[in-house]
Amino acid sequence: MKELHLISTGKQSIETFVHISSLVHSYAHFIHIREKHRSAKEIGMIVEKLLEASVPAQKIIVNDRVDVAVVYGVGGVQLAHHSLSPKRIKEKFPFLRVGCSVHTFEEAKRAEKEGADYVIFGHIYETNCKEGRKPRGLSSLRQLTSHVRIPVVAIGGIKPFHVRDVFMTGAKGIAVMSTVFEADDPLYMVQRYWKQMGANTWTF
């Protein structure tokens, strides 16, 4: 099944992020809380507000903070290169869905070996988040999907009109940040992704 991951920008207020998430979550499989500057207490507050806004717990992914993910019983945790290893987390919390953010084939293979459920790989296209840095492109994405058995989620500058090309590489999902969360009409924008994914006929 193709997946759509929506990731917070880290630039918006908690209220704005929660409000937009409440509008768009029906069209996303996962909502990532990626707020590097916030404390565990603040991340927990965001989870509470998302739950109060009727965002299902299983759709919520917390970046790096395994403690918060476990305490609130959310869907999973997204790890960076500086995080705990997937193997350690899976040993203690086998119920958590564990993703790893990777930038090379070696990192992806290591994540797979250590038991990660999926990897997020990018950036695929030019993006303001990585200004001045060369995108890895579709060919690198295609090579990666053929080298690992776990699902690969693509990130970085992916617009709705890119969606079909991205999935043609063998990627199992796409992840977007500002394109939805900073859109003038976030609901309309997420629906455009959904439609391009052929997801408008899905029910879950």
Side-chain angles (χ1 to χ4, degrees):
M1 184 175 72
K2 299 172 185 174
E3 294 180 349
L4 177 57
H5 295 240
L6 302 182
I7 302 177
S8 71
T9 64
K11 301 173 185 175
Q12 295 172 305
S13 69
I14 291 174
E15 291 73 24
T16 299
F17 170 64
V18 171
H19 174 66
I20 294 173
S21 297
S22 71
L23 294 176
V24 302
H25 77 82
S26 295
Y27 294 93
H29 298 87
F30 298 101
I31 305 277
H32 292 240
I33 303 172
R34 183 180 181 272
E35 304 282 313
K36 297 179 180 180
H37 61 295
R38 299 195 187 278
S39 66
K41 186 175 181 179
E42 288 177 307
I43 301 295
M45 186 195 312
I46 296 173
V47 173
E48 288 177 5
K49 290 183 178 294
L50 288 173
L51 295 173
E52 289 169 6
S54 299
V55 177
Q58 69 267 22
K59 286 190 175 187
I60 300 172
I61 303 287
V62 176
N63 268 51
D64 202 38
R65 299 303 308 231
V66 181
D67 51 350
V68 177
V70 172
V71 166
Y72 286 94
V74 299
V77 64
Q78 182 70 27
L79 305 177
H81 63 89
H82 59 259
S83 305
L84 296 171
S85 76
K87 184 173 183 290
R88 296 289 181 217
I89 295 169
K90 285 289 192 179
E91 284 172 356
K92 298 292 185 183
F93 311 109
F95 52 86
L96 271 184
R97 191 172 195 255
V98 177
C100 287
S101 298
V102 301
H103 302 94
T104 66
F105 297 166
E106 292 76 21
E107 289 176 2
K109 291 298 287 185
R110 189 183 315 123
E112 179 181 58
K113 186 177 179 181
E114 293 185 350
D117 294 297
Y118 66 96
V119 294
I120 293 183
F121 175 74
H123 60 292
I124 306 304
Y125 297 100
E126 292 280 358
T127 172
N128 292 335
C129 296
K130 306 285 185 181
E131 203 166 353
R133 291 169 62 179
K134 185 180 178 183
R136 289 176 169 82
L138 292 176
S139 58
S140 291
L141 178 61
R142 186 176 294 106
Q143 288 177 42
L144 182 61
T145 62
S146 66
H147 277 79
V148 296
R149 294 183 299 277
I150 57 176
V152 177
V153 177
I155 191 172
I158 300 171
K159 303 292 191 291
F161 61 84
H162 292 135
V163 167
R164 293 178 189 275
D165 289 339
V166 170
F167 281 112
M168 287 289 284
T169 67
K172 299 300 184 186
I174 59 171
V176 296
M177 299 171 67
S178 57
T179 318
V180 168
F181 280 109
E182 294 180 7
D184 292 335
D185 188 340
L187 181 58
Y188 169 72
M189 186 58 70
V190 78
Q191 286 172 336
R192 286 184 61 194
Y193 282 103
W194 190 255
K195 188 173 182 180
Q196 288 298 319
M197 290 170 67
N200 52 332
T201 57
W202 296 351
T203 56
F204 62 93

